[in-house]
Each structure stands twice: as C-alpha cells, then as structure tokens.
Amino acid sequence: MDALTAKQALEKGKATRHEFEGLSYIRLHDSVARLPKGSVRLDTGRVIPGYPSIGRIQALATGLEKQYGDEPFWAEEKIDGFNIRIVAHEGRLLAFSRGGFLCPFSTDRVPELLDPALFDEHPGLIACAELAGPENPYMEGSPPHVAHDVALFVFDLMRDGQPGFIAQAEKQGLAERYRLPVARVFGRYRAQDQQALTELILSLDRAGCEGLVFKGEVQGARSKYVTARSNINDIALVSDALLDLPPEYFTNRMMRLALFEAEHRGNDPDLERELGRALLQGLGRSVQRSREVGRVGHRYRCRFRHQRNLDHFVAHLEATGGPQHVKILYQPSRQQDGYWVLEFERVLPRMTGTLAHALSGGAQFD
Amino acid sequence: MDALTAKQALEKGKATRHEFEGLSYIRLHDSVARLPKGSVRLDTGRVIPGYPSIGRIQALATGLEKQYGDEPFWAEEKIDGFNIRIVAHEGRLLAFSRGGFLCPFSTDRVPELLDPALFDEHPGLIACAELAGPENPYMEGSPPHVAHDVALFVFDLMRDGQPGFIAQAEKQGLAERYRLPVARVFGRYRAQDQQALTELILSLDRAGCEGLVFKGEVQGARSKYVTARSNINDIALVSDALLDLPPEYFTNRMMRLALFEAEHRGNDPDLERELGRALLQGLGRSVQRSREVGRVGHRYRCRFRHQRNLDHFVAHLEATGGPQHVKILYQPSRQQDGYWVLEFERVLPRMTGTLAHALSGGAQFD
C-alpha cells in the first residue's frame, strides 16, 4: 500500500487516520489492494498487513481431508484471547488490534511479555500473537493455563514486504533463540492421522482448552477447530448478555457443539447438562443483578504499567463504547505490584431494559 | 368495515381478496379503522374482527398487580394450539386463522368438534377457539391432555357488530347450554391471591401445560403467562430448526424460563438439564437426519373428513410454503377410520444447507 493507494482508500471511506502520541497511522476497515481489513500504514510508510481470517472446520475428519488432502500440516493450540500484531517502531514496541487500532493496553504490556531483542536484530519482523488471560479489557474468556493477569502467545511471524507468514521451521528457530512465548505446537500430521488427532482434540476438550489451528506445511493454508468445552465456556461467560450479543454468537456455538458431540462424544448427557447450566445460570445472574442494582453489565479488570496508557485506553473506551454504556468503577491508583489498575463495567442496555420492564410487571407483545 | 373502507384498504395494500369455493372474502393484513389485522370481511358484508394480540406478563406477581390492580380477573388455561374464529355462513361453519385466511383444515374438522346448534340459535356469534393436538398441520406442540388427533377449545365468544367479547358469565352459560368444548376456567382471582395463583401455575408446570390467560372482569383486559415447562417444550420441539426460525423464538423463551425460575423455582438443576437436553437433542436429530437423508425437515400428519378440503389445504401449503420447501410424503388415501390422511414435511433450508456444508468438511468464515 503506497501513499497514493492509502490516500485513495481514505477518500473512498475504506480507511481512517488515527493519532497516538505523535504517531500518525491509517487503518483499513475494508480490504484494499489485496490487503485485508485491519491492515495498518504507519507514517513512515511501513505497512503491517491485517491478520487474515481463518476458515473454521466443523467436522474434523472431513474438514481436514477437504482442506489438506495429503499435505502435511502442523497442529497448534488455539488460544482464547485477542489477536494483536507487534512491531518495533522508532525504539518502542507497538501492538495493533485485529481491526488495526493501536491498542494502548497491549502496547503497554507487551514489552514485559516479549524480549525486544527479537526486533533489534530483525527490525522488519511482525509478531502475530494472542494476548490472553483473566485480566484483559476486551473479553470474558481466558485459557485454563493462564491463572491471572495476561500472557502472550506468539503464533505467527511476518516479515516486512514479504507476503504470507514465515515458514514453521524458521519460526520455531526464532522462537527458541529469543525465547518467545509461543502457542503450543502439538506436531505434524496428515488428514489420515484421525486417531491421533481425535485423541488430541479430546484431551484439549477435557482440559478446557479452546482448540486447534492447523497450518499446511506446503501452502500454509490455515484452518481452525474448537472443542465442545470451548463452545460451552463461551456461552456460559456471556449468556447474561443474551439479548445484547448477535444471536449468531449463541446459535453458531450450539451448532458446533452438536457437530462435535455427533463426531466425537455421541449422545452425552454431560454436555446437555453443561449447556443448560451455561445458559440458565448466566440468565439467572442477569435477573439477580437487575433486581439488586437495576442494571446488567460485564465487569473487566486490567493492569497497566504506565498511567498515560490507562488514560489512552479509557479515552478509547469512552469514544467507542459511548459514555452511557461504560462505567469506570473507581479512579485507578498505583496500588498493586506497581501497576495501575483499571476496573470498569460495560453496561448491557437490552438486558438491562428488558429485565427492568419484565420484573416491574410490564407486558410484552410478541 | 363498510364496503368503502374495504375498497380503500385493498387499494392501500392493507387487505387482500381471497376465494374459497365460491365464497369471496377480504383479509386485513394490517389494522384498518380500529379493526386489528386478521380481520375478515365476507362477501355478504359481515365482518369478523381479528383476534387481538394479548400482552404477555413475564413476572406473575408484579404483572398481575400492574395489569389488574384490585380488579378481579378470571384465570383460564392457555392452550398450545392455533387460534381460529368460527362462524356460520350460508348453512355451513367456516374457520378463519389468526391471520384471516380461511383454513381448509379447521373448516373441515370443526363441524364434528362443535355443536352447530349454537349458531342456529345465535347466528351472529363468532366462536374464538384453539385447535390443538398432535395431528395438526401447523405446529409441533400439543397439550398433554390431547393424546391424538386434534381437539377444540373455545375460549371467547364475540357477537356481530358488538365490540369486545361476551362477558364471562354469559359465555359460560352458552358453553354449558351447547356443551361447547372449552378451555378450563380455574376461577376468579385478584392480584393479591398470590399463593393460590403460584400453586396453580406450578401445578400446570408439573402437568406440562402451557400456562394461563387472565381476563379482567370489569374491563375485560387480557394477559397471558406461561410455565417453565412450556418454554422448554417449545424449544425441544423445534431446536432441530435452530437456524430456520427467528432467533427471538429461542431467546424470548430462554428469558421467560429464567424469569419463571427466579420467581417460582429458584436455582433449579432440573431446569438446566431439561433446557440443555431440549437444545442438544434437537440439534443432534438434525445432524443425524442430515447424515442419513441429506435433509432436515419437520413432519406433519393430519386428517380430513373431505378429500376436497385436503386438496385445498395442499394447494394453500404449496402456494405459501413454496413447492421446494414442502414435500408431500405420499398420496393420501381414505385409509384411517374414514379420514383422508395427509403426511407432509416442511424442509428446513438453512439447517439442511448449513449441515450439509459442515459435514462435508466445508469451512465457515465467521
């Protein structure tokens, strides 16, 4: 994306210009010139391609067969976090979200989660990673093996000006050399290794992990596949927001759950009980919150190294969420292990309104 | 609705003209001149008002208090069927659907379910009733106390040219005199009779019944309230159509279930298990059907007294459902107890397509 293409994308409304502490960048919110949406162009002209969307297979055996045929592929752990791309820029690390926003939270925390020496010796690298854990400001879920705060899982490397990703062997070499925190790589398989792959996905299911990302060795094609438990966890965490999320959030996960059950677990009363509990306990929480405080919301807590990043984050939150839908729960203070702690709540307006109406005895015409 | 109003409604696209065996009628699909949608005007000029929509309360105690205050109200059983209005017209009974279509199925069966003498002596009556049972062509559910075929439950009477419904006492008098099949009337209550009403709804819940309709004694205002079990049954019967129904079908019922649980049953693992089973077993059925026959659909079976009504019904089905989405399973024959039996399947195109794609290994980008 040269300067002219960027200018045209801005004019066509396919890109937006943003500022962050003197850095000017543009962010594509539509695909432009073969760059996917979420791509970023820094003021130096450097381009950070968007992370491509990965096709999801819903039937493991036929999906791998169709996707890879005889081609070998690597199976890596899919991490339940949010996708960032990390680059070094004028002496500091910057982290961009999937959508191409500079993320003040990730940018604040990445320097302590990744050795910057990687970029000193390879300045053109782009590290694609998942930031995951219970103390993140975006999502409710977190991997079972991240007990507190957040952790970083690098899963791909790109190099400036080169299409696609760095090959698996070179990526693993760099990861070892710089002790990068990486997503677990379970091995190299082919579609016919059904038994081993089934055992692998069932062990991840039992462990409460999200699933697998497959990466073809020759073509590099990526696909993903998630566990039954991941679908149930996702539903359990946000069923108190049933009316505020797109219905497909729930229906897609139920479809995946049924397909996983049919392929791997047969008719399973445990899954039925867990799905019902995931839905009804979350809805029960929302009824209780509505009765107690007249409001339904999701609470988040996260920690920053620098107060100015916290301030940037809060400004971003209020700009994108609307001040009426975000409640900062208390003024942050440098109180915990040298971090600035932020706690806030995203109010769920439809659950709040619907339950207030229903509990006060209001009638519904449907 | 005089002839001029009807003409204007047709011109404005708020009404449609239909024919049925020489009877010409127009049907309002929008409200016109204080008549709700579903109202019908026969070629004789007689008007059959649409059955008004009834507000649903979602919290029993506050809902009754808000709706009725100190006014007494009657509590009747809400029947899980479909709403029809029955009139006598030129020597025969006609039954119109909620939407105002002449229903060939109901029109065929009503004469054996209701004593026509009612209309001989009261030609201006309109009987509002629910037709319910496992052998109906429209819906999956049926009341637990209708074990086979269909049964009729009259719950309201209207009189030509008079607004509103005939009062409860007069309705009950007519019902006794003509031995009308009626919905059960449980008694006369006030909002403060909380304990009795709670016991009543919990006994209906245990029995698998749908719920209650309340009718104010003075103002006549109607409202409805359903059991936990009714919501679960509704979900269980059609969760194999998860992607083909509006998502609100499921989310509204889950909300009601959570509100019922919070008000009457507390945290209840039985409800969780039943909800999970309702969802996952239905989805499992759809996966199995997709594997076995490559198609997901709902099967219906119903019986007609006269073959020509069956033919009318099939024509209506194919006209409204689209021939590609309705499969007549075999040619009907007068085979059972003197009835013409129809079996057909409504194909669920989104479940069919989504599962075929997923099971063949196709990738989803979400």
Side-chain angles (χ1 to χ4, degrees):
Chain A
M1 182 165 53
D2 57 21
L4 180 62
T5 311
K7 183 163 171 286
Q8 289 170 337
L10 284 164
E11 285 167 1
K12 287 183 192 159
K14 294 186 168 187
T16 309
R17 188 180 298 282
H18 298 272
E19 299 283 330
F20 182 83
E21 296 193 343
L23 169 75
S24 171
Y25 66 95
I26 73 163
R27 172 180 75 81
L28 296 188
H29 34 81
D30 214 338
S31 65
V32 171
R34 293 196 189 161
L35 284 169
K37 68 178 177 182
S39 298
V40 171
R41 187 178 195 272
L42 302 180
D43 47 14
T44 55
R46 183 179 181 187
V47 171
I48 306 159
Y51 194 86
S53 66
I54 295 185
R56 178 191 299 283
I57 58 179
Q58 297 184 88
L60 187 64
T62 53
L64 291 174
E65 171 64 30
K66 187 164 198 163
Q67 189 63 243
Y68 299 106
D70 284 333
E71 181 190 349
F73 52 82
W74 294 87
E76 296 188 5
E77 185 178 1
K78 184 177 189 314
I79 302 291
D80 188 18
F82 59 95
N83 178 299
I84 57 175
R85 283 157 293 151
I86 306 163
V87 295
H89 176 77
E90 297 179 348
R92 64 170 170 165
L93 299 185
L94 302 178
F96 290 89
S97 72
R98 188 80 180 254
F101 287 99
L102 190 141
C103 172
F105 172 72
S106 309
T107 296
D108 182 88
R109 300 300 305 277
V110 152
E112 60 182 331
L113 302 172
L114 185 76
D115 182 358
L118 170 73
F119 297 102
D120 294 342
E121 295 169 30
H122 303 272
L125 278 189
I126 301 162
C128 306
E130 207 80 352
L131 196 51
E135 292 191 293
N136 87 74
Y138 295 120
M139 46 189 297
E140 287 72 16
S142 72
H145 42 72
V146 183
H148 56 91
D149 201 8
V150 285
L152 191 74
F153 300 88
V154 175
F155 51 79
D156 268 318
L157 295 171
M158 296 192 274
R159 192 169 269 140
D160 266 4
Q162 293 184 11
F165 300 104
I166 288 178
Q168 188 76 10
E170 188 182 352
K171 181 189 84 171
Q172 285 179 311
L174 287 163
E176 278 165 36
R177 176 155 175 205
Y178 295 99
R179 295 187 184 174
L180 299 183
V182 290
R184 282 185 286 175
V185 178
F186 296 108
R188 187 171 168 276
Y189 300 86
R190 289 175 197 265
Q192 61 261 41
D193 300 327
Q194 272 309 311
Q195 198 185 333
L197 287 162
T198 299
E199 281 168 19
L200 175 58
I201 198 74
L202 284 172
S203 76
L204 290 171
D205 191 29
R206 283 190 297 273
C209 294
E210 195 183 15
L212 292 167
V213 175
F214 305 105
K215 300 178 174 178
E217 192 170 63
V218 184
Q219 309 285 340
R222 277 133 171 83
S223 45
K224 58 188 175 185
Y225 184 72
V226 298
T227 61
R229 176 63 56 110
S230 156
N231 292 309
I232 290 175
N233 281 351
D234 283 356
I235 290 171
L237 288 163
V238 299
S239 56
D240 56 357
L242 182 68
L243 303 178
D244 286 275
L245 289 168
E248 292 72 24
Y249 180 94
F250 297 96
T251 54
N252 281 346
R253 283 168 175 79
M254 289 183 208
M255 293 293 291
R256 284 177 217 151
L257 181 59
L259 285 159
F260 191 100
E261 185 187 37
E263 184 166 4
H264 303 297
R265 293 180 59 165
N267 274 357
D268 190 333
D270 284 347
L271 283 182
E272 294 169 7
R273 192 168 53 241
E274 288 166 28
L275 174 61
R277 188 189 302 150
L279 285 161
L280 211 44
Q281 291 200 349
L283 289 169
R285 281 197 310 274
S286 67
V287 174
Q288 197 181 340
R289 290 288 294 167
S290 178
R291 280 177 171 169
E292 287 172 0
V293 300
R295 183 177 89 224
V296 188
H298 281 165
R299 288 185 168 219
Y300 301 82
R301 172 195 163 91
C302 58
R303 309 197 287 179
F304 292 79
R305 294 185 307 140
H306 302 293
Q307 188 175 15
R308 71 168 199 287
N309 286 327
L310 185 154
D311 293 339
H312 287 308
F313 181 79
V314 169
H316 175 76
L317 202 60
E318 295 188 331
T320 53
Q324 73 278 29
H325 293 152
V326 173
K327 292 198 183 298
I328 305 300
L329 295 179
Y330 59 81
Q331 287 306 311
S333 54
R334 181 182 278 272
Q335 61 164 29
Q336 188 186 330
D337 305 335
Y339 287 93
W340 296 84
V341 178
L342 174 68
E343 290 191 26
F344 65 97
E345 180 178 323
R346 285 192 178 92
V347 178
L348 299 163
R350 291 197 60 192
M351 289 300 284
T352 296
T354 301
L355 286 174
H357 179 73
L359 289 170
S360 74
Q364 182 188 39
F365 289 86
D366 51 16
Chain B
M1 181 164 53
D2 56 21
L4 180 63
T5 311
K7 184 164 170 284
Q8 288 170 339
L10 285 164
E11 284 166 3
K12 286 183 192 159
K14 293 185 167 188
T16 308
R17 188 180 298 281
H18 298 272
E19 299 283 330
F20 182 84
E21 297 192 343
L23 168 76
S24 171
Y25 66 96
I26 73 163
R27 173 179 74 82
L28 296 188
H29 33 80
D30 215 337
S31 64
V32 171
R34 292 196 191 162
L35 284 169
K37 69 177 177 180
S39 298
V40 170
R41 187 176 194 272
L42 303 180
D43 46 14
T44 55
R46 181 177 183 189
V47 172
I48 305 159
Y51 194 86
S53 65
I54 295 185
R56 179 192 299 284
I57 59 179
Q58 295 183 88
L60 186 65
T62 54
L64 291 174
E65 172 63 30
K66 187 164 197 162
Q67 189 63 243
Y68 299 105
D70 285 333
E71 181 190 348
F73 52 82
W74 294 88
E76 295 187 6
E77 185 178 2
K78 184 177 190 315
I79 303 292
D80 188 18
F82 59 95
N83 178 299
I84 57 174
R85 283 157 292 151
I86 305 163
V87 295
H89 177 78
E90 298 180 347
R92 63 170 170 166
L93 299 186
L94 302 179
F96 290 89
S97 72
R98 188 80 180 252
F101 287 100
L102 191 141
C103 172
F105 172 71
S106 308
T107 295
D108 182 88
R109 299 299 306 279
V110 153
E112 60 182 331
L113 302 172
L114 185 76
D115 182 359
L118 170 72
F119 297 101
D120 294 341
E121 295 169 30
H122 303 271
L125 280 189
I126 301 163
C128 306
E130 206 81 352
L131 195 51
E135 292 191 293
N136 87 75
Y138 296 120
M139 44 188 300
E140 286 72 15
S142 72
H145 42 74
V146 183
H148 55 90
D149 200 6
V150 285
L152 190 74
F153 300 87
V154 175
F155 51 80
D156 269 318
L157 296 171
M158 296 192 274
R159 192 168 270 139
D160 266 3
Q162 293 183 11
F165 299 105
I166 289 179
Q168 189 75 11
E170 188 183 351
K171 182 189 85 172
Q172 285 180 314
L174 287 165
E176 278 166 32
R177 175 154 176 205
Y178 296 99
R179 296 188 184 174
L180 299 183
V182 291
R184 282 185 286 175
V185 179
F186 296 108
R188 186 171 167 276
Y189 300 85
R190 289 176 197 264
Q192 61 261 41
D193 300 328
Q194 272 310 310
Q195 199 185 332
L197 287 162
T198 300
E199 282 169 18
L200 175 58
I201 197 74
L202 285 172
S203 76
L204 290 171
D205 191 30
R206 282 191 297 273
C209 294
E210 196 185 15
L212 292 167
V213 175
F214 305 105
K215 299 178 175 178
E217 193 170 63
V218 184
Q219 309 285 340
R222 277 133 170 84
S223 46
K224 58 188 176 185
Y225 183 73
V226 297
T227 61
R229 176 64 57 110
S230 155
N231 292 310
I232 290 175
N233 280 352
D234 283 356
I235 290 170
L237 288 163
V238 299
S239 56
D240 56 356
L242 182 69
L243 302 179
D244 286 274
L245 288 168
E248 292 72 24
Y249 180 94
F250 297 97
T251 56
N252 282 346
R253 284 168 175 77
M254 289 183 207
M255 293 295 290
R256 284 177 216 151
L257 181 60
L259 285 159
F260 191 100
E261 184 186 38
E263 185 167 2
H264 304 296
R265 293 180 58 164
N267 273 356
D268 190 334
D270 283 348
L271 283 182
E272 295 168 7
R273 191 169 53 241
E274 288 167 28
L275 174 61
R277 187 189 303 150
L279 285 161
L280 211 43
Q281 291 200 349
L283 289 169
R285 282 198 308 275
S286 67
V287 174
Q288 197 181 340
R289 290 289 293 169
S290 178
R291 280 176 170 168
E292 288 172 359
V293 299
R295 183 177 88 221
V296 187
H298 281 165
R299 289 187 167 216
Y300 301 83
R301 174 196 162 92
C302 57
R303 309 197 286 179
F304 292 78
R305 295 184 306 139
H306 301 292
Q307 188 175 18
R308 69 169 200 286
N309 286 327
L310 186 154
D311 292 340
H312 287 308
F313 180 81
V314 168
H316 175 76
L317 200 61
E318 294 187 333
T320 54
Q324 73 278 29
H325 293 152
V326 174
K327 290 198 184 298
I328 306 300
L329 295 179
Y330 58 80
Q331 287 307 310
S333 54
R334 182 183 275 273
Q335 61 164 31
Q336 188 186 329
D337 305 333
Y339 287 93
W340 296 85
V341 177
L342 174 68
E343 290 192 27
F344 65 96
E345 180 179 323
R346 285 193 176 91
V347 178
L348 299 163
R350 291 198 60 193
M351 290 298 285
T352 297
T354 301
L355 285 174
H357 180 72
L359 289 170
S360 73
Q364 182 188 38
F365 288 86
D366 51 16

